[in-house]
Amino acid sequence: MSIWEVILAFVVVVLMLVALLANVLVLMCFLYSADIRKQVPGLFILNLTFCNLLMTVSNMPLTLAGIIYKSQPGGDQICHIVGFLETFLTTNSMLSMAALSIDRWIAVVFPLSYHSKMRYRDAALILSYTWLHSVSFPIVAASLSWVGFHHLYASCTLYNKRPEDRTQFVIFTGVFHTLSFLLSLIVLCFTYLKVLKVARFHCKRIDVITMQTLVLLVDIHPSVRERCLEEQKRRRQRATKKISTFIGTFILCFAPYVITRLVELSSVVHINSHWGIISKCLAYSKVVSDPFVYSLLRHQYKKTWKDIINKILKRSSINSSALMSESHNRNTLQLNE
């Protein structure tokens, strides 16, 4: 193994461990908190977490084995199953992010009618479409034998070995990425930019009220005035940062891999194998970032996972104190004897 391959293998191992811990923690928060389970977006987050966990335990280990051994890990049947899952899970996670953005758009732009427009039944219908949309492409690819081990990405993924099917495979790949990556990106941009517009409008209204209040309060201390202006600035930036994170992580993680897949279809451009694996690792990094971007850094989830950790630590401390007292009693009895 070259130094590049060692670094890439190490990166995949780190991504696997962090993704597993973070997504399991999200799942624990969902099971632990009744308030999170009551919320409609919780269904989309649960579906996204399911996709991320399955990707972590099925696709990442085989990519790691592909980097180490530079060949297909396992038999053809295992590779076909993992390649099928990779196509399905990637599309499903992209559409889940789009569904979350639609939920936020309805909640912010139509707050009074949110509960009538986005019910559990509506969320279940959206998820049903997401699953049908996601499973259709790998079914077509598997039926045409377009799933296999791709050395460029060291992964079991969409791959055409037959030169006579090249034109059909190019069309299929283009349609697949248009209706997964591009469609999700358009939905994310449309919905979150609408949310940002509403957020900025509300910020302007609050800013006007704040400035009017500061003008009326002539005797206010300069430090209080300064704090109000700083909070006003932070409020203006908060929504922009959040929406930039949602759209930015999506583009940063998926765009290099999707562009590489499309460029690869051209026989003119040669793609370095290290770049192919790097682009795959960037796509895997979305599995790591999703729990933090959509769940763990939010106030409700943060409170829940802190409660879980405190509960575990308290239980372990109670058990350790019980063991210590039991050992102390035994020592006392032995001394008395």
Side-chain angles (χ1 to χ4, degrees), residues 214-215 217-218 220-230:
L214 290 174
V215 169
L217 296 171
V218 181
I220 194 170
H221 196 274
S223 62
V224 177
R225 184 188 296 271
E226 194 174 326
R227 279 202 301 271
C228 289
L229 293 172
E230 284 176 4

Side-chain angles (χ1 to χ4, degrees), residues 91-320:
T91 310
N92 201 339
S93 62
M94 287 180 182
L95 294 175
S96 296
M97 292 171 220
L100 280 165
S101 72
I102 291 169
D103 176 81
R104 287 299 85 207
W105 171 59
I106 295 171
V108 173
V109 179
F110 309 103
L112 298 177
S113 58
Y114 171 75
H115 292 291
S116 61
K117 286 179 186 250
M118 188 60 74
R119 294 162 295 182
Y120 263 93
R121 186 181 64 185
D122 302 314
L125 285 172
I126 292 171
L127 284 181
S128 300
Y129 168 76
T130 299
W131 276 64
L132 287 171
H133 184 124
S134 304
V135 82
S136 59
F137 288 101
I139 285 173
V140 172
S143 63
L144 295 171
S145 300
W146 289 344
V147 179
F149 182 76
H150 204 315
H151 287 274
L152 181 61
Y153 308 102
S155 303
C156 295
T157 182
L158 292 177
Y159 184 50
N160 177 37
K161 296 179 182 178
R162 299 193 298 266
E164 62 271 16
D165 291 347
R166 188 176 179 279
T167 306
Q168 294 94 317
F169 184 72
V170 168
I171 294 168
F172 173 81
T173 306
V175 172
F176 167 64
H177 289 301
T178 300
L179 294 178
S180 55
F181 172 76
L182 188 60
L183 176 65
S184 301
L185 181 59
I186 290 169
V187 172
L188 283 169
C189 290
F190 173 80
T191 52
Y192 282 131
L193 290 176
K194 290 286 185 183
V195 169
L196 182 60
K197 187 178 177 182
V198 173
R200 282 180 173 172
F201 173 73
H202 287 305
C203 282
K204 282 179 182 177
R205 289 181 63 187
I206 295 168
D207 291 347
V208 169
I209 295 167
T210 304
M211 293 306 296
Q212 287 174 349
T213 307
L214 290 174
V215 169
L216 291 171
L217 296 171
V218 181
D219 298 331
I220 194 170
H221 196 274
S223 62
V224 177
R225 184 188 296 271
E226 194 174 326
R227 279 202 301 271
C228 289
L229 293 172
E230 284 176 4
E231 179 58 32
Q232 183 179 332
K233 188 180 177 181
R234 279 198 298 269
R235 194 188 305 114
R236 211 179 294 126
Q237 293 174 346
R238 202 174 296 136
T240 307
K241 282 181 181 178
K242 282 184 179 180
I243 287 164
S244 300
T245 303
F246 291 142
I247 298 174
T249 53
F250 186 88
I251 294 171
L252 182 66
C253 296
F254 286 127
Y257 178 68
V258 172
I259 292 168
T260 306
R261 294 301 312 237
L262 294 173
V263 171
E264 176 209 339
L265 299 173
S266 170
S267 55
V268 180
V269 182
H270 173 72
I271 299 171
N272 184 278
S273 60
H274 292 148
W275 169 249
I277 298 170
I278 289 168
S279 66
K280 190 67 182 175
C281 289
L282 282 171
Y284 283 151
S285 67
K286 195 73 176 79
V287 176
V288 177
S289 66
D290 283 343
F292 299 99
V293 171
Y294 290 100
S295 308
L296 297 178
L297 296 180
R298 287 174 56 197
H299 175 72
Q300 194 171 23
Y301 278 88
K302 197 184 288 187
K303 183 180 178 298
T304 304
W305 64 255
K306 282 180 179 178
D307 289 344
I308 292 169
I309 291 170
N310 289 333
K311 197 172 183 179
I312 292 167
L313 291 174
K314 194 179 290 184
R315 189 175 294 175
S316 63
S317 65
I318 289 168
N319 290 337
S320 63

